Structures are given as C-alpha cells and as structure tokens.
Amino acid sequence: MIYLRISLDREMDGLAIERQREDCERLAEREGWTVVETYVDQSKSATDATKSRPDYDRMVADYQAGAFDAIVCWDLDRLTRQPRQMEDWVDAARFRGLQLKSVSGDVDLTNENGLLIAGIKIQVARAEVVRKSKRQSRAQEQRAMMGRAPKGMRPLGYATNGDVIEDEAVAVRAIFALFTRPDHPESLRSLARALSGTDTIEGLAPMPKHTHTVSVERETARRLRAEEENKTYQTHELKPDGPWSPSTVLGILRNPRYAGMSTYTPKTYQENGNRRRSWRAQILRDDVGEPVRGQWAPIVDDETWWRVQEILDDTERVTNTSGSTRRKHLGSGLYRCGVCGRKVTGAPRGYRCAGHVMRTGSHIDEFVTEVIAARLSRRDALARVSTAEDTPHARAISEAISRERARMMRAQRDYDAEVIEGRDLKRIRDAGESRIDELEAERLLRGRAGGLAPVLGTADPAAAFRQASLTTRREVIDTLAKITLLPQARGRRGFDPHSVVIEWRTN
C-alpha cells in the first residue's frame, strides 16, 4: 500500500499530494509490488498526537486485519513523527515481516543500523517541529503585544486582517445585547436556536453556521487563485452548514477580541480544570496590568464584555433547558445599601447587601412604584428631566463610564484570582465609583429622558409606568431618583416607609 501526507496544503490544488503519489507508485513498480490501497491525509499534521489522521488510522486497522504486508511512503516523516507510532511499525517489521520503503531512501527496520537511522530521522524531524513551534509562538506573542490581529480562522464579525464585517458585527452586537437584556435575557440555547432559524428573536436574524461560511470563503479564494494561475483546481468537500450550538455562542461571548483586547495563550498554559480562568488568561496585559488594546475596532464596549463575563461566571446562573434567566426584582442592581452605598442584589424574597441589609422585596417595590407613579402624575414630571441628545460629547461620557466600570470589573477578577490585594481593589473601586458619579452627574445635566418617551410621552405617564416592562420601569426609576434601603430596625414588624429613602434627581 501507499501512504501519502502533507501537513498543510495552502493551495489545496492536490498537486503536492500528486507528486508524492507519482514517486511512490514508481517505487512500488520498481519493487514489483501491487498497490492494493492508497491512503491520503491532506493538510493533516503528524506532529500533534492528539490530532486525528483518518486515513492513517484506517491504514493501521487494515494492516492489523492483514490487508497488506508492505508500505511505501515519500519519506519516513510523512508516515509519522511520533516515536511511539514508529515503535509500532518497528515491531511490525521485526515480528510480522512488514517491509517499509521510502522514496527518499530505504528504511530497513529489521536491523540495528536501519533502526538507528529511522530513530535519528524521527528525532530530527521532531526537533525541527519544536524549533518551528517556538518561532511561531514568539511571532504570535509579538503580534499580540503590538495589538495586531492574530492569524488563523477569523472570528464572526471580523476579517482576517482585523477589519469589521458589519453585517456579521450586527449579529455579534445583538448576541451580547440579548444575553444581557435586563428584563428577559436570552440563554445560550435560545440564541443558538435563533441563529439556526428554529426560533425567532427580534433583532437577531438567522445566518449560516460560521464554520460553513469560512469554509465557503476559503474554497472560493482557492478556486479564484487557481484560475488566476491557470491551474487545475480540485474541489474539496466543504464543512456542512447546520444548526448553531450553544458552545459556539458561548465562544463568541467569551472572546475578548470583541472588546478590542489583544489575546495570546501560550501552548504551555494549563487550564487545571478551571474554564472561567482560562478565558481571562487569554487577555494580554502590559507592564501595569492593563489589557493590551488591539489595532482593530471593538464591536462591543468593555463594560458590556465584562458584564457578560460576570453573568457567565456566576455559579448560580440559571442554565436549565428552558434557558430562563429573567430578572425578577425591580431594584436588583438599582437600589443602594444604606450602610455602604453599594447596589443591592436580588435575594429569594427580596434584596440583600451581605452583612448590611436583608429586606423583603414586595413591599419595597410596591412603595417605590407608587411614589414614582405619583411623581409622574405631576405636570412638571417631564420638565424635571431634560431630553437626552445623541451628541459626540454624550457618547464620550457613556464610553468613559463604560471604561471605568470595566476597570472595576477587571480589578474584581484580578482580586478573585489573587493577582492584586484587597487594598488595591478598594482603591480602584473607590476611584472608579467617584469618577462614575461625576460622569453621571454631567450626563444628567445634559439630559436623560430620551429613552423614557414610552412613559413620559403618553397622556397618562403614571399608568404607562405601572404597565411598562420591567426594563422601562427600572430606567424611569433610575432617571428620576436614587433609592436607598436602610436596614430593618430590630424588633419592628411590618413595612416602614421611612426605611426606603428616595432622593429625587435634579437637572
């Protein structure tokens, strides 16, 4: 039999394999052997033992079944670069009489000199692979430090040179937005179904599976190149289109490149079973610990990306079959703790700030809703909030706030990973919150009512507010007031309205 292999056929025109085939067939003819089968692994590396070589595996199975008793290959390293695999063929030669011939020179595995030559060739080939791998890794790291787009398969939304592909970028932005939607966030499964066309989500259109799209692009580029060079082109099987998987959606949400962060993961990196840490380990950082920024345009902002990581890292996140991660609390992440000033989180029965506040939520939400509705009933409700403008300055404020929030999120994760100390986390958090307060005040002065038209623009804003979605009600509350929850007084039963402090925002 004949075994043919090439590690990477960039042209994919089959000519390199055909040259090997012709040389091997001539050698078999000189030996007087009949070729019973030809096994071909095109663009398959023999260096990585974890990678499958389908025809090599089929050849091994056929030999064990007695289908042939001689092998012809172009060179020994075309057959294998793995010493363990080589030992198997040595045993086959010694104990079962296998004959092995190569175009580059005879390989006699039945005597000491032949074994020595074969062993040397295998080790030399492996050493060259190691050297090449080190050179490539260093080049990749250098590209990453410079913020240049990495080589390899392009991610959804980006061309291989880092340019944004806008129609795909729209889908990426929609995935991030829908996954972090406050009132009804989509799950990985629901997003995958929408992309596959088996479910409908407003704002996210079905599209071909990304691997299929890339496969079509590469096939088209190879065919055009062959036509330009007047070469015969052999069509290759494309990766089939099919349904999107939740794991592919997860890969998009986890990719730091979408936030404009340069990435590099050494081949020696070990996840040690912690997938959450592995994603953060991809982010390349400079000498002061800040992420290296890529030379490409980000598709999502830093805050959105880090917020997604916060959601994905939450061990209590709902990941059931229905994919329901609906926010159930009006004030979760909106109301503030009356002790430390931080935003409270939703608890099974209400709101909590660890060690400070634990409050039942239903009475608080009803009280806040009625107070806000009463405020909206006043004629000056709209006048109290100036109209938001989409100006360069307003966008700059939003981007600055996003960067500050993202910096605090990164600091929290660095603290969790024991990269920084608690005092460093506090310093970064305090500085960030102070700066955000300043920016929020400036944004408020320039207007925030633009997104509240569904409520404030109606004939009865109070009624519209009560009937609005959770997202809209939260936005109205956040626009009009700052809500602070005080600890429940010991021994006191029932709801005390004075334990909920409502401070009205002003222009």
Side-chain angles (χ1 to χ4, degrees):
M1 54 70 60
I2 292 175
Y3 179 74
L4 311 173
R5 183 185 68 82
I6 184 171
S7 297
L8 180 60
D9 188 354
R10 296 186 183 277
E11 302 300 325
M12 288 298 286
D13 55 11
L15 296 181
I17 286 291
E18 284 305 311
R19 289 192 293 271
Q20 288 188 27
R21 187 194 303 272
E22 293 171 0
D23 291 343
C24 289
E25 287 177 347
R26 282 195 290 267
L27 175 57
E29 184 179 356
R30 289 198 300 270
E31 295 294 330
W33 293 345
T34 300
V35 177
V36 296
E37 182 70 80
T38 298
Y39 303 87
V40 181
D41 281 319
Q42 188 172 15
S43 286
K44 301 291 182 182
S45 173
T47 303
D48 190 345
T50 64
K51 296 296 179 62
S52 172
R53 286 189 285 159
D55 262 30
Y56 179 87
D57 295 337
R58 186 167 65 88
M59 176 184 68
V60 172
D62 288 349
Y63 175 72
Q64 293 173 346
F68 58 85
D69 55 13
I71 297 176
V72 174
C73 57
W74 197 86
D75 199 316
L76 193 60
D77 65 3
R78 299 299 89 196
L79 179 63
T80 182
R81 292 193 175 198
Q82 299 295 322
R84 286 188 296 273
Q85 292 177 349
M86 193 66 235
E87 289 296 328
D88 292 337
W89 294 120
V90 169
D91 290 344
R94 292 178 61 191
F95 303 119
R96 296 184 56 181
L98 172 72
Q99 296 189 63
L100 179 60
K101 296 282 186 178
S102 70
V103 174
S104 61
D106 290 345
V107 180
D108 189 349
L109 302 182
T110 61
N111 61 61
E112 294 179 356
N113 289 335
L115 289 173
L116 178 62
I117 293 172
I120 291 173
K121 294 186 69 172
I122 290 293
Q123 294 300 334
V124 168
R126 282 180 61 84
E128 175 55 30
V129 168
V130 171
R131 286 193 293 270
K132 181 179 179 182
S133 178
K134 288 183 177 179
R135 291 195 301 269
Q136 291 176 340
S137 296
R138 182 67 186 92
Q140 291 169 0
E141 183 180 12
Q142 184 181 37
R143 286 179 62 88
M145 285 300 299
M146 296 171 63
R148 298 175 63 184
K151 296 182 178 180
M153 180 172 173
R154 69 174 185 84
L156 180 71
Y158 286 113
T160 53
N161 64 354
D163 290 345
V164 174
I165 301 176
E166 191 53 41
D167 59 333
E168 293 184 356
V170 169
V172 173
R173 295 188 191 101
I175 290 170
F176 275 85
L178 293 166
F179 188 75
T180 56
R181 188 165 56 185
D183 60 333
H184 188 187
E186 299 293 340
S187 68
L188 300 178
R189 292 184 182 88
S190 63
L191 291 169
R193 290 194 293 266
L195 288 167
S196 303
T198 56
D199 200 355
T200 301
I201 298 178
E202 185 178 356
L204 184 60
M207 61 191 309
K209 195 174 179 181
H210 185 53
T211 52
H212 173 73
T213 299
V214 173
S215 181
V216 171
E217 290 173 348
R218 289 176 175 175
E219 179 73 3
T220 301
R222 289 191 292 261
R223 185 180 67 253
L224 292 175
R225 185 165 57 246
E227 291 175 357
E228 291 175 357
E229 298 175 358
N230 294 321
K231 293 182 178 179
T232 301
Y233 182 71
Q234 178 182 354
T235 302
H236 294 81
E237 184 179 356
L238 298 176
K239 290 186 177 181
D241 193 10
W244 286 69
S245 68
S247 61
T248 302
V249 178
L250 174 63
I252 292 172
L253 292 170
R254 285 292 198 183
N255 194 340
R257 288 186 60 190
Y258 289 120
M261 290 181 278
S262 189
T263 60
Y264 174 72
T265 304
K267 292 183 178 180
T268 55
Y269 176 77
Q270 298 293 326
E271 293 178 357
N272 295 326
N274 193 332
R275 293 285 293 175
R276 294 187 179 94
R277 290 180 184 269
S278 69
W279 294 104
R280 292 196 291 276
Q282 293 183 19
I283 301 173
L284 198 63
R285 297 175 182 266
D286 58 23
D287 294 338
V288 297
E290 286 293 306
V292 174
R293 310 307 302 189
Q295 296 181 16
W296 58 88
I299 291 179
V300 299
D301 58 65
D302 281 25
E303 182 187 358
T304 298
W305 190 86
W306 283 104
R307 180 64 63 192
V308 165
Q309 308 320 302
E310 183 178 74
I311 295 172
L312 293 172
D313 286 351
D314 184 1
T315 57
E316 297 181 359
R317 182 172 66 92
V318 176
T319 56
N320 53 33
T321 303
S322 68
S324 175
T325 55
R326 182 186 297 273
R327 186 189 290 275
K328 300 178 177 63
H329 300 88
L330 179 65
S332 177
L334 180 62
Y335 301 161
R336 292 185 177 272
C337 171
V339 177
C340 67
R342 302 193 190 285
K343 294 178 179 179
V344 299
T345 59
R349 297 180 59 189
Y351 303 105
R352 68 187 295 269
C353 177
H356 297 154
V357 171
M358 176 65 75
R359 300 290 305 275
T360 301
S362 58
H363 296 304
I364 295 173
D365 290 346
E366 290 172 4
F367 174 72
V368 170
T369 297
E370 290 308 313
V371 172
I372 296 295
R375 181 58 174 263
L376 290 171
S377 299
R378 292 170 50 178
R379 293 183 177 180
D380 66 341
L382 183 58
R384 300 299 296 173
V385 187
S386 58
T387 303
E389 298 180 9
D390 185 17
T391 63
H393 186 78
R395 290 193 296 270
I397 291 176
S398 296
E399 291 172 0
I401 292 174
S402 176
R403 286 195 297 271
E404 293 297 332
R405 288 176 176 164
R407 184 174 291 111
M408 288 190 290
M409 291 179 189
R410 293 199 303 269
Q412 181 64 56
R413 278 151 182 77
D414 286 346
Y415 174 74
D416 294 340
E418 300 181 354
V419 175
I420 64 175
E421 300 292 336
R423 60 178 179 273
D424 297 320
L425 173 61
K426 184 178 185 304
R427 173 178 53 79
I428 294 171
R429 181 182 287 165
D430 290 346
E433 290 184 344
S434 176
R435 178 58 178 156
I436 287 174
D437 287 342
E438 294 175 0
L439 292 166
E440 288 282 15
E442 183 177 356
R443 183 163 63 179
L444 182 62
L445 291 174
R446 291 181 173 269
R448 299 180 58 192
L452 307 185
V455 170
L456 299 178
T458 63
D460 189 349
F465 170 71
R466 291 191 181 97
Q467 298 171 7
S469 66
L470 182 64
T471 301
T472 300
R473 282 183 285 142
R474 285 170 55 84
E475 188 173 357
V476 171
I477 293 171
D478 192 33
T479 299
L480 294 178
K482 176 182 177 182
I483 313 296
T484 301
L485 305 184
L486 302 179
Q488 183 75 8
R490 291 186 178 182
R492 183 182 180 90
R493 292 183 177 276
F495 173 68
D496 179 10
H498 295 94
S499 67
V500 181
V501 180
I502 300 179
E503 302 173 70
W504 299 107
R505 301 183 189 275
T506 58
N507 287 339

